[in-house]
Amino acid sequence: MYNNLNRIGLTLKSDPMKPHMALAVQRICTFNISLNSQKAFLKFELLHYLPSENSMQLTSFLFLLFFLVVSSIYYLFPSKYRWIWLLLVSYCFYGIGNINSVGLLILVTVTTWYGGNLIAGARHNHRIRNSSAHQKIILAACVLLNIGILVFYKYSNFAIYNLNRILRIGQIPPIQFTFNWIMPIGISFFILQALTYPIDIYRGKINPEKNPLKYALFVSFFPQILSGPIGRAKNMLPQISTNHQFDFDRIKHGMWRMLWGFFQKMVIGDRLSIFIASVFDDPVVFQHGGIINWIAMVFFGLQIYYDFAGYSNIAIGAAQILGYSIPVNFLRPYFSKSVTEFWKRWHISLTSWFRDYLYIPLGGNRVGKIRHAANILIVFLVSGLWHGANWTFIIWGLLNGFYQLIELSLKSVLKPIIGQRSFQLNSFGWKSLRVVMVFFLTDFAWIFFRSNTIHDAFGFIKGLFYFNPQILLDDQLYQYGLTRINMQILLIALVISVTVSWLQRSGSICEKMDRQPFWFRWAVILTGIFAILLLGIYGPNVDTSQFIYTKF
Amino acid sequence: MMKKIVSAILFSVLLYYSFQMVNEMLFIKTEVNAAKDLVLEPKKTIDVFFLGTSHVYCGVNPLEIWKQSGITSFDLVTNRQPIWASYSILKQSLKQQKPAVIFFEVLGATDYVEGLIESDRGNHATHLAMDPIPLSFSKIMDVLRIDEIKKKQEMLFPVIYHHRRLVENELNSTDLLYPFTRNRNIQKGYVLSLKTEPQERSGPYPTQSIPLHPTAEKYLIKIIELCREEKIPLVLFKTPAPSSENLLMQLNGIAELADKFDIPWIDFNRLVDQIHLDYSTDFVDGGHLNVFGAKKVSAYLSQYLQEHFHLEDRRKDSKFSSWNADALHYDNRLNLQTTMLFPEYIRRLGDPHLISVITFNQSVMDHQANFQEGIQRCEVEPSDILNSSNGLICIFDAGKVIKSTSGHFVHYANDTIFNIALGISEGTKSSILVNQKEQSLNVDGVNIVVYDKDTQTILDRVAFLPTDEMQAVRDPSVVTP
């Protein structure tokens, strides 16, 4: 199976429109450790020894080593100056493999900080006549510049590609030019994060941060910078100025959260990805997949959740160890009873960003019905585009928007009968049916998200109607990269995960664990660690370690 | 707070040892796990190290040296041991033992190294050599400093490289119990092979020489420097083997290097006549000596050690009595595997280190007189064989009959390492499963499988045909199932 991984490796999109992130380890630091023996100097070129691919992925050995060293030294610093250490290591973390993007990070940091502070200055400067307009202009300039950077890096080639298609219709010679660059990693996340600062200052929700270096840490905070969760200046900046004390329980809980994240990503997410890649990336398979397509569709819905929720838990746990509190990114989304609810529980930091900084400024739901519908579609269109420069993402976004519109319409149409005996929507039967329906609707939309092209997506959907239930009776299911034992491991891991989700409903798992005797906690944690080590998908010839969302 | 810190430390210790245990379970075990095997020898009891590849574990028998001179030696060997791993193994081993002399077999210093650099084969061979070395600061530094080890974290934590073995169902009870077993390698790293394959003698030695491969030279010099730092004499040697002209020229290059560093150099290819090596009987294959060839090389080395290093004869030293026991056990093993007569074979199964499973088919009764003695030792009544349509099964453990039955199916687990599920059907078919693997030669007659509890390996698979000659058969290909 593992040898197959190379062949079917998790390269999400092969479309040239979707720039692939290439991480290359640079030799950035060389340590000389002095030993008191006759071998006086041992050259310890740390980074030189580590692999050049995925080397700073959060599930990599390098990250674990990096984090161990960083967090240990962090608590050796006087608490007042710990943020300086974090700033330094955050830039090192981002710089490894992305040294060329550091300049861009600084540019975003400087423009948003300066823009925010200019807005605050304009507000308090009584010599400026039309202060409000002045602030608005600064904010617009700041937003346009930063969104412009994002658009320029992310969508230039997509724009040229689509323009050429239009030109081709008009038989006009196409533009013979494409930008040949690697999209800076994390750009979609840290730009949105940084923009919360000038916007919230404009809205009067926060005070300006006087120390640009503290602000730089807010933008570059290493647990978040690659793939979020997208922080808010309002939440993060005060924490940077707080003296973080060594708190044993907080650190312990942070480690547990990280461990759970590793389990979600490496045992479940990456195992699912093997099956998914062998179906989605092979038209010969998915065009007549039938049951296999159904399974792959459901598996991808689960994979993207476990991949990104796993990432988020590792990031939140790492921040927690360092004393920072980052809000959760996922709240058991697949237990949602409506698509609207799903989007309140899925990738919360992004959806709430779009809600607060796009949907509400557009008027939200306090406008006419048509405008409201348009607002929803605009938000989902932008959300789709944010995920990537490809029509598949746009369709995925719009489809989710339409789901919400249909849901809203049904709500008003069915209003008279909801609550009647047969329509007690909060009864167990209805709730279960709604959860299952939402799960399948979102899974169906994920087909577009996962497919390499729209053509592939429709081919895959066509394959769903191929009738072949007999393959469940033989071993054909195990021909797609996951052997019987891997399927069994997957099933057990999913049962564990659902159980944990169920337990989370009545309160924090960490608190529940704390109430257990030490031997029970130790047994659970050791089992978790060894389950990841022994059953995780990693190691030689495995190419699934990259998180899906680091590509966006 | 103090309670929490103590609890965290205790948990970390538990985690560390569990992690080490899992690493040990997962790495691939072979007959020779140099580093771990040596750890199990009492400290500072080994006088001589023989370092190298399979050419050493087939060519140098420490127990022959012991029997002849009372010198304690050990083969620090693993399969295809890359020279950088030889260097690291030597370094780690010197923490356990203070040998009086170190021999390095130079196959690893020839262009053999070329195929191991940046290749999966080399990576695998390095794992075989390095994985049994327990994690320590010294090992970490070695792994970090050896440029040829590209995947550092995999080498430090074998679980990364080997964890797939669990899901792919490759682990057996030997793997799972490995961290808890303390079985010494009683053959001291030597691997006994009785096969014979005639070989062509090498051509005449050329006069030209080829310089060493840069990587080989780098690590050979490191080995030389390490020995000098530790003030232990080093001897370079090459076991005899049919060699190409190119290899002989490389050996000339090594001779020049040895001369330059003033290191003794023994090339057995030049001593073939002196040690009476017979190319028609003394080789397993084109590179490895069999037990007969190894005996000749070991005899020479024994004499060489006595003459040049004047090492102590420890045969009468009570501290080394286990070496005498090991030598005796080795002789028993060797004799067992060369015994051709059924009664004598059955007598040898009295060795306390062995478990044996014997199946009798009814056809044995046609030649009852010939099998009489053996049958009696198995505490089997001849009439039982005659009356049983399924034949008979007999299990010996440490020389005692544990089970003797005519049942279809016998299950015997001495401990979880050794697990037999055995069945005979229709009087002519023998099946002996050891650890879920079929081992019986399945001959119509007497089939025997001997399991060595020390090495946890199958020592012998033999069948005795129900003929007047009662021939022992060991090669399954010449037996018609």
Side-chain angles (χ1 to χ4, degrees):
Chain A
M1 179 194 79
Y2 288 80
N3 291 334
N4 289 339
L5 293 177
N6 254 353
R7 185 174 58 80
I8 61 176
L10 185 77
T11 39
L12 255 185
K13 310 280 179 179
S14 54
D15 193 303
M17 294 304 105
K18 302 189 175 182
H20 278 256
M21 177 197 64
L23 292 175
V25 162
Q26 316 264 331
R27 273 197 209 192
I28 61 158
C29 44
T30 300
F31 299 96
N32 281 311
I33 299 173
S34 177
L35 294 185
N36 55 4
S37 68
Q38 69 274 29
K39 300 150 197 165
F41 283 96
L42 292 176
K43 208 174 175 195
F44 186 49
E45 293 171 298
L46 179 67
L47 295 171
H48 171 62
Y49 294 125
L50 294 152
S52 61
E53 287 177 353
N54 307 328
S55 52
M56 262 307 202
Q57 285 295 310
L58 263 57
T59 50
S60 68
F61 177 78
L62 177 60
F63 177 75
L64 288 178
L65 190 65
F66 168 86
F67 187 68
L68 184 70
V69 172
V70 163
S71 51
S72 305
I73 296 174
Y74 176 74
Y75 282 109
L76 295 176
F77 269 77
S79 55
K80 204 176 168 186
Y81 302 111
R82 282 177 187 158
W83 67 269
I84 299 173
W85 171 244
L86 279 189
L87 176 64
L88 190 74
V89 296
S90 291
Y91 267 79
C92 276
F93 176 83
Y94 189 72
I96 294 171
N98 308 288
I99 196 77
N100 298 331
S101 306
V102 172
L104 184 77
L105 177 64
I106 293 170
L107 177 70
V108 170
T109 305
V110 169
T111 53
T112 50
W113 177 76
Y114 193 62
N117 287 17
L118 272 182
I119 293 167
R123 178 173 302 149
H124 300 298
N125 191 342
H126 302 295
R127 282 177 293 178
I128 299 173
R129 252 191 226 164
N130 193 349
S131 169
S132 176
H134 197 83
Q135 288 172 49
K136 206 173 265 182
I137 291 166
I138 299 168
L139 178 66
C142 188
V143 170
L144 281 175
L145 174 70
N146 283 283
I147 295 294
I149 292 170
L150 182 62
V151 169
F152 184 65
Y153 270 102
K154 212 165 168 176
Y155 307 104
S156 305
N157 285 336
F158 184 57
I160 293 170
Y161 172 76
N162 285 295
L163 186 62
N164 280 343
R165 292 185 75 163
I166 295 165
L167 293 175
R168 207 179 300 149
I169 295 166
Q171 294 186 329
I172 301 166
I175 301 166
Q176 299 289 349
F177 178 77
T178 50
F179 292 99
N180 200 12
W181 58 51
I182 294 164
M183 189 176 78
I185 187 168
I187 187 173
S188 307
F189 293 90
F190 68 72
I191 285 185
L192 293 196
Q193 177 157 319
L195 282 173
T196 63
Y197 178 72
I199 298 174
D200 281 357
I201 285 186
Y202 175 79
R203 290 175 175 180
K205 285 186 176 175
I206 55 169
N207 293 321
E209 171 58 61
K210 287 183 181 144
N211 188 334
L213 295 179
K214 281 188 178 176
Y215 179 78
L217 173 59
F218 157 64
V219 181
S220 64
F221 188 48
F222 74 86
Q224 289 176 293
I225 193 166
L226 298 185
S227 299
I230 299 163
R232 302 285 181 95
K234 191 181 165 188
N235 173 42
M236 286 296 289
L237 283 171
Q239 293 193 60
I240 292 169
S241 296
T242 306
N243 290 347
H244 299 283
Q245 302 301 325
F246 183 91
D247 180 340
F248 186 88
D249 286 332
R250 193 194 62 229
I251 291 170
K252 183 178 72 182
H253 292 165
M255 285 181 178
W256 290 355
R257 189 179 270 276
M258 286 180 82
L259 188 68
W260 180 238
F262 286 124
F263 182 85
Q264 287 180 306
K265 162 73 177 158
M266 295 164 76
V267 179
I268 307 180
D270 289 346
R271 186 162 266 108
L272 288 163
S273 78
I274 297 165
F275 187 94
I276 292 154
S278 67
V279 179
F280 270 96
D281 293 340
D282 190 348
V284 178
V285 173
F286 67 63
Q287 278 170 5
H288 301 98
I291 292 285
I292 296 297
N293 282 19
W294 283 96
I295 295 170
M297 181 183 82
V298 170
F299 273 15
F300 183 67
L302 295 172
Q303 189 215 342
I304 195 155
Y305 168 69
Y306 284 107
D307 188 279
F308 198 25
Y311 173 90
S312 299
N313 277 324
I314 296 168
I316 295 168
Q320 201 174 344
I321 289 169
L322 299 168
Y324 286 79
S325 166
I326 302 176
V328 292
N329 221 7
F330 292 89
L331 207 60
R332 302 181 297 284
Y334 285 131
F335 287 100
S336 303
K337 295 180 287 294
S338 68
V339 176
T340 313
E341 187 190 346
F342 175 85
W343 282 105
K344 284 178 185 162
R345 295 164 70 159
W346 179 273
H347 198 175
I348 297 166
S349 64
L350 180 73
T351 47
S352 64
W353 196 100
F354 281 131
R355 182 196 62 212
D356 294 344
Y357 300 106
L358 181 63
Y359 179 68
I360 290 174
L362 286 171
N365 59 1
R366 294 179 179 178
V367 286
K369 278 186 180 174
I370 293 174
R371 181 82 187 279
H372 180 210
N375 287 348
I376 288 172
L377 288 180
I378 289 169
V379 168
F380 277 98
L381 172 73
V382 173
S383 173
L385 266 172
W386 178 89
H387 282 86
N390 192 312
W391 285 100
T392 53
F393 290 124
I394 294 170
I395 292 183
W396 166 78
L398 288 173
L399 194 53
N400 276 289
F402 280 116
Y403 283 164
Q404 282 216 21
L405 294 184
I406 293 165
E407 206 168 77
L408 281 172
S409 313
L410 278 176
K411 217 172 175 180
S412 52
V413 170
L414 297 175
K415 204 172 181 178
I417 56 165
I418 288 172
Q420 287 180 11
R421 200 173 169 187
S422 301
F423 283 94
Q424 297 282 349
L425 294 188
N426 283 327
S427 62
F428 176 77
W430 274 109
K431 275 201 290 191
S432 307
L433 181 68
R434 288 162 68 193
V435 166
V436 171
M437 278 172 65
V438 170
F439 181 65
F440 275 98
L441 284 171
T442 48
D443 282 348
F444 182 78
W446 289 126
I447 292 172
F448 290 93
F449 192 96
R450 178 58 181 83
S451 297
N452 296 326
T453 61
I454 294 174
H455 181 262
D456 279 1
F458 282 111
F460 186 93
I461 291 164
K462 197 178 153 198
L464 288 172
F465 297 99
Y466 192 78
F467 190 71
N468 58 352
Q470 74 281 1
I471 65 168
L472 290 176
L473 302 174
D474 54 33
D475 283 349
Q476 272 196 58
L477 193 61
Y478 309 120
Q479 310 296 315
Y480 301 91
L482 288 186
T483 55
R484 183 186 291 269
I485 184 137
N486 272 290
M487 284 287 194
Q488 287 163 346
I489 292 167
L490 186 61
L491 192 66
I492 293 167
L494 285 170
V495 168
I496 291 170
S497 169
V498 171
T499 309
V500 168
S501 292
W502 181 73
L503 288 172
Q504 276 174 332
R505 288 171 42 155
S506 55
S508 153
I509 294 285
C510 290
E511 283 168 16
K512 284 190 171 76
M513 281 276 282
D514 279 337
R515 288 198 289 273
Q516 298 302 317
F518 84 94
W519 58 265
F520 180 83
R521 291 197 306 268
W522 286 20
V524 170
I525 300 302
L526 282 176
T527 307
I529 291 170
F530 287 107
I532 295 161
L533 282 173
L534 297 172
L535 306 177
I537 304 291
Y538 67 100
N541 303 326
V542 176
D543 185 28
T544 58
S545 60
Q546 204 174 82
F547 288 95
I548 295 174
Y549 265 72
T550 54
K551 292 163 195 262
F552 298 145
Chain B
M1 188 63 181
M2 188 50 75
K3 197 179 155 193
K4 286 177 179 176
I5 292 169
V6 171
S7 161
I9 292 169
L10 284 177
F11 180 80
S12 306
V13 171
L14 181 66
L15 177 63
Y16 174 78
Y17 282 104
S18 312
F19 184 68
Q20 286 298 86
M21 219 165 66
V22 167
N23 273 317
E24 286 199 20
M25 284 176 184
L26 287 176
F27 69 68
I28 295 168
K29 286 92 191 167
T30 61
E31 280 180 273
V32 281
N33 302 298
K36 166 119 185 188
D37 291 346
L38 192 71
V39 167
L40 297 174
E41 290 293 321
K43 281 192 175 180
K44 297 183 182 174
T45 56
I46 306 294
D47 286 333
V48 185
F49 281 171
F50 293 101
L51 189 65
T53 64
S54 55
H55 286 214
V56 177
Y57 71 58
C58 288
V60 181
N61 185 346
L63 289 176
E64 284 294 343
I65 294 173
W66 168 262
K67 283 192 285 181
Q68 291 186 29
S69 60
I71 294 168
T72 55
S73 60
F74 207 94
D75 289 352
L76 277 179
V77 286
T78 50
N79 204 14
R80 286 186 182 145
Q81 190 177 94
I83 191 165
W84 50 85
S86 302
Y87 167 69
S88 183
I89 286 177
L90 177 61
K91 218 169 128 194
Q92 306 300 325
S93 302
L94 289 175
K95 286 193 239 159
Q96 298 287 323
Q97 301 287 345
K98 290 289 168 206
V101 56
I102 293 165
F103 282 70
F104 177 61
E105 208 271 350
V106 297
L107 179 72
T110 63
D111 62 2
Y112 176 79
V113 74
E114 186 80 49
L116 300 177
I117 296 172
E118 288 190 34
S119 69
D120 286 346
R121 203 172 73 147
N123 189 37
H124 187 75
T126 310
H127 270 286
L128 284 181
M130 303 286 284
D131 288 349
I133 302 173
L135 188 66
S136 63
F137 179 73
S138 164
K139 182 180 176 181
I140 293 170
M141 294 316 292
D142 269 3
V143 169
L144 291 177
R145 293 164 80 193
I146 295 173
D147 292 336
E148 286 68 24
I149 297 175
K150 298 294 177 199
K151 294 173 180 172
K152 309 286 181 185
Q153 64 267 44
E154 284 177 18
M155 208 54 74
L156 290 173
F157 309 112
V159 65
I160 299 174
Y161 184 71
H162 295 296
H163 73 283
R164 56 162 192 85
R165 296 187 69 217
L166 177 70
V167 177
E168 290 180 0
N169 213 11
E170 274 183 25
L171 296 185
N172 55 34
S173 51
T174 309
D175 290 307
L176 298 178
L177 288 163
Y178 188 78
F180 311 106
T181 51
R182 314 301 290 172
N183 292 333
R184 288 182 307 112
N185 184 332
I186 63 158
Q187 287 181 190
K188 319 297 178 190
Y190 172 68
V191 175
L192 191 156
S193 180
L194 284 158
K195 274 190 207 163
T196 297
E197 192 181 286
Q199 300 296 322
E200 291 281 324
R201 198 169 166 162
S202 312
Y205 246 92
T207 51
Q208 306 94 312
S209 63
I210 295 178
L212 271 72
H213 187 283
T215 306
E217 187 173 357
K218 181 170 91 177
Y219 286 99
L220 187 51
I221 290 172
K222 275 177 181 278
I223 290 170
I224 292 168
E225 284 170 353
L226 178 63
C227 291
R228 285 190 176 165
E229 269 175 37
E230 299 287 338
K231 299 187 173 55
I232 302 170
L234 174 71
V235 178
L236 301 180
F237 76 113
K238 176 74 196 80
T239 54
S243 310
S244 66
E245 191 181 10
N246 182 287
L247 181 61
L248 294 175
M249 286 196 284
Q250 290 183 63
L251 295 180
N252 281 341
I254 290 170
E256 286 167 13
L257 186 131
D259 192 41
K260 185 178 150 193
F261 284 90
D262 197 19
I263 294 168
W265 161 240
I266 305 169
D267 184 353
F268 279 97
N269 289 310
R270 292 180 185 270
L271 299 171
V272 169
D273 296 326
Q274 194 179 330
I275 65 171
H276 308 295
L277 195 75
D278 186 342
Y279 274 71
S280 62
T281 59
D282 294 346
F283 282 89
V284 178
D285 55 33
H288 302 95
L289 292 167
N290 62 17
V291 67
F292 312 112
K295 195 169 182 174
K296 291 170 185 174
V297 168
S298 305
Y300 180 89
L301 288 169
S302 175
Q303 199 182 346
Y304 181 88
L305 284 165
Q306 281 172 314
E307 284 173 8
H308 291 82
F309 296 96
H310 312 292
L311 299 174
E312 210 178 323
D313 182 346
R314 301 184 189 272
R315 279 175 289 191
K316 286 179 184 159
D317 187 337
S318 59
K319 280 187 198 163
F320 292 85
S321 57
S322 68
W323 279 74
N324 287 323
D326 290 345
L328 187 67
H329 184 195
Y330 165 74
D331 283 342
N332 282 344
R333 284 174 171 182
L334 178 61
N335 291 334
L336 187 77
Q337 291 177 78
T338 48
T339 299
M340 299 301 287
L341 300 171
F342 181 65
E344 191 189 337
Y345 195 91
I346 292 287
R347 273 199 299 277
R348 289 191 185 281
L349 296 183
D351 189 315
H353 302 271
L354 306 177
I355 300 174
S356 321
V357 186
I358 308 164
T359 65
F360 297 90
N361 292 339
Q362 279 182 325
S363 55
V364 170
M365 296 318 297
D366 299 339
H367 301 269
Q368 200 185 126
N370 298 334
F371 284 96
Q372 190 80 28
E373 191 188 336
I375 289 170
Q376 276 170 1
R377 276 191 72 85
C378 294
E379 299 174 15
V380 174
E381 288 297 324
S383 57
D384 288 347
I385 302 175
L386 200 60
N387 296 335
S388 167
S389 60
N390 298 315
L392 275 172
I393 309 160
C394 179
I395 298 176
F396 273 58
D397 190 347
K400 289 179 185 165
V401 176
I402 301 296
K403 286 194 181 183
S404 187
T405 173
S406 62
H408 256 299
F409 185 82
V410 172
H411 184 86
Y412 177 62
N414 179 50
D415 51 40
T416 37
I417 295 174
F418 179 71
N419 190 324
I420 297 173
L422 177 153
I424 298 179
S425 60
E426 297 169 0
T428 57
K429 190 182 173 191
S430 156
S431 171
I432 302 170
L433 296 170
V434 178
N435 295 335
Q436 288 85 48
K437 277 190 184 164
E438 181 60 73
Q439 299 293 349
S440 174
L441 294 183
N442 190 16
V443 167
D444 188 13
V446 180
N447 291 279
I448 305 177
V449 172
V450 183
Y451 179 82
D452 190 321
K453 288 188 275 185
D454 282 341
T455 58
Q456 296 165 22
T457 53
I458 301 296
L459 182 62
D460 200 17
R461 301 163 65 209
V462 63
F464 291 91
L465 302 179
T467 58
D468 288 341
E469 295 80 27
M470 291 191 298
Q471 296 157 306
V473 175
R474 287 191 168 82
D475 182 358
S477 63
V478 300
V479 181
T480 312

